Amino acid sequence: MKNKNKIIPMITVAAALVILIVLIVLGTKLIQRYIPSKEPQDMQEYYHLTAENDMAMVVDEELLEMNAKYIDGIVYVDYETVHDRFNKRFYWDTNENVLLYTLPDKLVTVPAGSNSYQLDKENVTAGYTIVRNDSNVMYMALDFVEQYTNMTHVVYENPNRVVITSKWGEVETAAAKKETELRYKGGIKSPILKQLTKEESLIILEPGDDWTKVATEDGMIGYLKSKFLGSSEKTVRSHEFEEPQFTHIKREGTIQMAWHQVTNQEGNARVANVLQNTKGINVLSPTWFYLTDDQGNINSLASQDYVNYCHQNNIEVWALISNLEGTSIETSTYVLTHTSVRQNLVNQIISAAIQYDLDGINLDFESLSGEVGDGYIQFVRELSLKCANNNIVLSVDNYVPSNYTAFYNRAEQALFADYVVVMGYDEHYAGCEEEGSVASIGFVRDGVANTLLEVPADQIILACPFYTRIWALTPKENPAEDEYPYEVSSEAVGMDTAQKRLEANGATASWSEEAGQNYAEYMNEGVTYKVWLEDASSMELRLETMKSHNLAGVSFWKLGFENSSIWDTIIKYTNN
């Protein structure tokens, strides 16, 4: 039999050894858990640099996904980033490979691959390639962008990065209390981005109890322990930059404008008859010009005798140019997005304006899609330069603001054009699935209020309708349960015609407080007719809106649809 007294000590020793090993393992893990990592962050990975000429972009304390390019000591930034984040006034024509920038009085033109640019007719050398194409991405030299943009940039190497500041004003800053680590994430095990020096200035992005997110001046964004951060203070960042100054041609007094629809040369001879019953008109806009093809050519119905007659009666002529006659919307898109074609259109408009001694141009390009928004605004800019050089007033017609018309960019229009016209009608229009007012007072007031968010009051002209829509609701046979039970159609008529239609059908109108209009309905042969009338009462509410907001004036579509008595109401608000 073995000696039990010898076995027990051996078991005890083994158990103690196991316990010791467990304690060592646990202790090592605890030590590893609480000892800060010394692992440095892979900075090429942090800045997602993959190509030799890649340069990371840190913009206003945000590391962008898109890289810049660093070529021959110049930073190049992709056009989309420049346009969306720094300066929307740059316009890149992908069809003709030309970059444009419009100053208040000059046009800057830069061909791709060139180290010089045109400032109107003057050739200017930059000393570096301004625009580069790389794998179908257009890159712009940041030095060139800074000429026209309130921004600065600083280049750092190893790894390559550019720190860009484009937002100015107050930021919260603090200094590091001691030498410490800036880590990729909050936590001592996160890799180290940088060893911070004592008193190094940091911009506070997200304060925290244990860790605070900060940005360094040299473009690193990470976390340090909050207890190693000094007291915060507000610091104002500023940059000397001369913003462009825009001027406008303004008319004294209230503008009282009306559109005169002219569809052929014979229509010009009726100008005297059209004006004879009006009161106070000081601007007439005949529908004379429209786009005819994809080369930017226009058709003209202009008449010198018409202009002379208006001038003899102290009425200015702001002829309308439209894209809605004789061409498709696709044609408009092509013209607006091809610089040489667009500029041909501008030149033709100006040539006609000079030939006929016009006082102004009224631009009416409608039904555009969002994809052509930048081209359309560039058209307004370029047309405005030529108009200003020839003392021609430029007014631009606009829908009431909405999400789907935001690309018309009324704020930019207001900088270059002299007047922005708000078309306060077509709330319900031909083709609507349901009937309704052409321009309820709520629709008009909202349209004015929202336009004022983008355009100064003294540049806004409120356009009002002289026409009424008579809506016909024909019952459908066996409509679906969730289907509107009527086939809806409408007819646009003048004020007198609408009133006569009511009288002929024995209908009496009553005031609708919601619409701000007189409303009537009647039935005829099983069809229900609904009418929101345009008359002196509805017009007065719109004129009060114009006057209460101190707008530049009012306009009317169209002459011939009004009754003669409406002018007595209008003149009360425009005769100053």
Side-chain angles (χ1 to χ4, degrees):
M1 176 178 278
K2 292 184 180 179
N3 191 335
K4 292 183 178 180
N5 293 331
K6 290 183 179 180
I7 294 174
I8 290 172
M10 290 177 63
I11 294 173
T12 302
V13 170
L17 183 60
V18 170
I19 292 170
L20 179 61
I21 291 171
V22 170
L23 289 174
I24 291 172
V25 170
L26 291 174
T28 300
K29 289 185 176 180
L30 285 171
I31 291 171
Q32 289 176 342
R33 180 177 178 182
Y34 291 105
I35 291 179
S37 169
K38 299 296 183 183
E39 177 191 0
Q41 171 68 39
D42 182 334
M43 299 309 290
Q44 294 291 117
E45 180 182 325
Y46 172 76
Y47 285 119
H48 45 82
L49 301 174
T50 56
E52 184 178 352
N53 66 353
D54 275 356
M55 173 160 275
M57 285 189 283
V58 181
V59 180
D60 300 317
E61 292 72 54
E62 177 189 354
L63 176 59
L64 303 190
E65 287 294 324
M66 185 71 177
N67 285 330
K69 299 295 181 183
Y70 195 41
I71 304 172
D72 298 332
I74 300 294
V75 180
Y76 290 88
V77 178
D78 67 286
Y79 168 74
E80 185 176 337
T81 297
V82 171
H83 182 270
D84 293 349
R85 297 197 67 129
F86 306 141
N87 193 330
K88 292 184 182 295
R89 201 160 292 147
F90 283 106
Y91 175 76
W92 171 242
D93 181 342
T94 58
N95 297 302
E96 299 186 3
N97 289 323
V98 60
L99 175 70
L100 302 170
Y101 190 80
T102 314
L103 297 167
D105 57 349
K106 292 182 176 65
L107 182 64
V108 178
T109 306
V110 189
S114 176
N115 65 353
S116 62
Y117 58 94
Q118 292 293 124
L119 187 59
D120 276 353
K121 296 181 180 180
E122 177 188 1
N123 190 65
V124 182
T125 300
Y128 52 82
T129 302
I130 301 170
V131 175
R132 292 179 179 270
N133 275 320
D134 182 9
S135 302
N136 296 320
V137 178
M138 190 277 270
Y139 289 89
M140 301 172 58
L142 202 51
D143 287 346
F144 186 75
V145 176
E146 277 193 13
Q147 287 183 212
Y148 305 106
T149 310
N150 189 6
M151 62 182 291
T152 62
H153 76 278
V154 181
V155 171
Y156 297 90
E157 298 179 344
N158 300 318
N160 289 343
R161 60 199 185 277
V162 57
V163 178
I164 300 171
T165 304
S166 66
K167 294 179 180 178
W168 306 100
E170 202 173 72
V171 293
E172 189 175 1
T173 62
K177 287 183 178 180
K178 55 172 284 186
E179 292 184 4
T180 188
E181 298 84 13
L182 179 70
R183 296 186 179 274
Y184 178 55
K185 293 183 178 180
I188 60 174
K189 294 303 181 182
S190 182
I192 298 170
L193 292 176
K194 179 183 181 180
Q195 291 291 336
L196 298 174
T197 61
K198 185 179 180 180
E199 301 299 329
E200 183 167 349
S201 180
L202 304 165
I203 295 175
I204 298 174
L205 303 179
E206 294 177 12
D209 293 335
D210 298 322
W211 293 85
T212 294
K213 186 178 182 180
V214 299
T216 65
E217 291 183 354
D218 59 352
M220 296 187 187
I221 300 167
Y223 294 80
L224 82 161
K225 286 185 176 180
S226 300
K227 65 182 181 181
F228 296 149
L229 196 62
S231 299
S232 66
E233 61 181 6
K234 301 296 184 182
T235 302
V236 176
R237 292 195 297 197
S238 62
H239 174 235
E240 288 188 9
F241 180 80
E242 188 175 346
E243 294 285 356
Q245 299 299 310
F246 292 87
T247 60
H248 300 93
I249 303 172
K250 294 290 186 65
R251 295 300 185 236
E252 293 184 5
T254 302
I255 292 172
Q256 186 177 321
M257 172 178 158
W259 285 285
H260 177 204
Q261 188 173 29
V262 177
T263 58
N264 51 50
Q265 282 290 345
E266 289 72 25
N268 290 316
R270 292 192 287 272
V271 62
N273 292 333
V274 166
L275 287 172
Q276 68 179 351
N277 293 321
T278 67
K279 294 180 181 179
I281 290 287
N282 52 29
V283 175
L284 196 57
S285 181
T287 58
W288 275 348
F289 306 123
Y290 54 87
L291 184 64
T292 57
D293 58 33
D294 62 6
Q295 295 306 301
N297 296 312
I298 63 173
N299 187 68
S300 172
L301 294 172
S303 161
Q304 191 63 62
D305 289 341
Y306 187 109
V307 175
N308 293 342
Y309 178 84
C310 288
H311 286 174
Q312 290 164 8
N313 288 275
N314 297 316
I315 297 173
E316 294 192 5
V317 179
W318 298 2
L320 180 142
I321 168 73
S322 171
N323 68 324
L324 298 179
E325 305 290 337
T327 58
S328 66
I329 296 304
E330 288 74 17
T331 299
S332 300
T333 298
Y334 184 91
V335 170
L336 294 175
T337 55
H338 289 72
T339 294
S340 61
V341 179
R342 186 179 62 248
Q343 292 180 349
N344 178 53
L345 173 58
V346 169
N347 290 335
Q348 290 215 25
I349 295 170
I350 296 301
S351 177
I354 293 171
Q355 177 183 351
Y356 291 99
D357 192 25
L358 301 181
D359 307 282
I361 291 293
N362 177 239
L363 178 61
D364 186 47
F365 269 44
E366 300 183 30
S367 300
L368 301 176
S369 63
E371 65 181 352
V372 77
D374 285 347
Y376 172 72
I377 289 300
Q378 188 58 29
F379 175 43
V380 173
R381 295 182 187 120
E382 293 169 5
L383 182 57
S384 77
L385 296 187
K386 294 290 182 76
C387 283
N389 288 340
N390 292 281
N391 197 35
I392 297 168
V393 175
L394 175 61
S395 60
V396 183
D397 299 340
N398 283 271
Y399 302 109
V400 299
S402 63
N403 290 335
Y404 55 86
T405 62
F407 65 87
Y408 276 87
N409 198 343
R410 296 160 190 82
E412 188 74 357
Q413 286 185 35
L415 291 177
F416 287 90
D418 300 302
Y419 294 102
V420 173
V421 181
V422 185
M423 296 185 292
Y425 41 76
D426 280 347
E427 179 182 8
H428 295 86
Y429 47 89
C432 270
E433 294 182 358
E434 295 188 18
E435 71 283 3
S437 171
V438 166
S440 68
I441 190 58
F443 173 81
V444 173
R445 287 170 177 165
D446 287 347
V448 169
N450 290 328
T451 302
L452 282 166
L453 298 176
E454 300 180 81
V455 183
D458 64 355
Q459 284 184 258
I460 297 175
I461 296 173
L462 174 59
C464 304
F466 277 160
Y467 66 95
T468 290
R469 285 201 174 276
I470 297 179
W471 296 89
L473 281 67
T474 304
K476 293 179 179 178
E477 292 185 9
N478 303 316
E481 185 175 340
D482 58 348
E483 185 181 4
Y484 196 61
Y486 299 101
E487 294 287 351
V488 178
S489 61
S490 68
E491 176 189 2
V493 300
M495 294 179 178
D496 287 338
T497 298
Q499 191 60 48
K500 290 176 182 177
R501 196 75 59 87
L502 296 187
E503 293 171 359
N505 288 275
T508 302
S510 59
W511 182 252
S512 166
E513 197 67 39
E514 181 182 3
Q517 292 173 279
N518 283 303
Y519 168 79
E521 64 178 79
Y522 58 90
M523 290 194 67
N524 191 333
E525 297 183 354
V527 177
T528 300
Y529 293 87
K530 296 184 178 183
V531 187
W532 284 262
L533 289 167
E534 296 302 331
D535 55 23
S537 299
S538 61
M539 185 62 69
E540 188 149 22
L541 291 181
R542 300 189 189 112
L543 293 168
E544 286 173 353
T545 300
M546 180 271 295
K547 202 70 173 178
S548 65
H549 288 290
N550 297 312
L551 304 186
V554 66
S555 188
F556 306 100
W557 177 267
K558 61 180 181 172
L559 287 179
F561 270 5
E562 82 280 13
N563 58 40
S564 57
S565 63
I566 197 74
W567 296 106
D568 293 325
T569 300
I570 294 170
I571 202 71
K572 291 191 302 182
Y573 292 87
T574 58
N575 186 14
N576 50 9

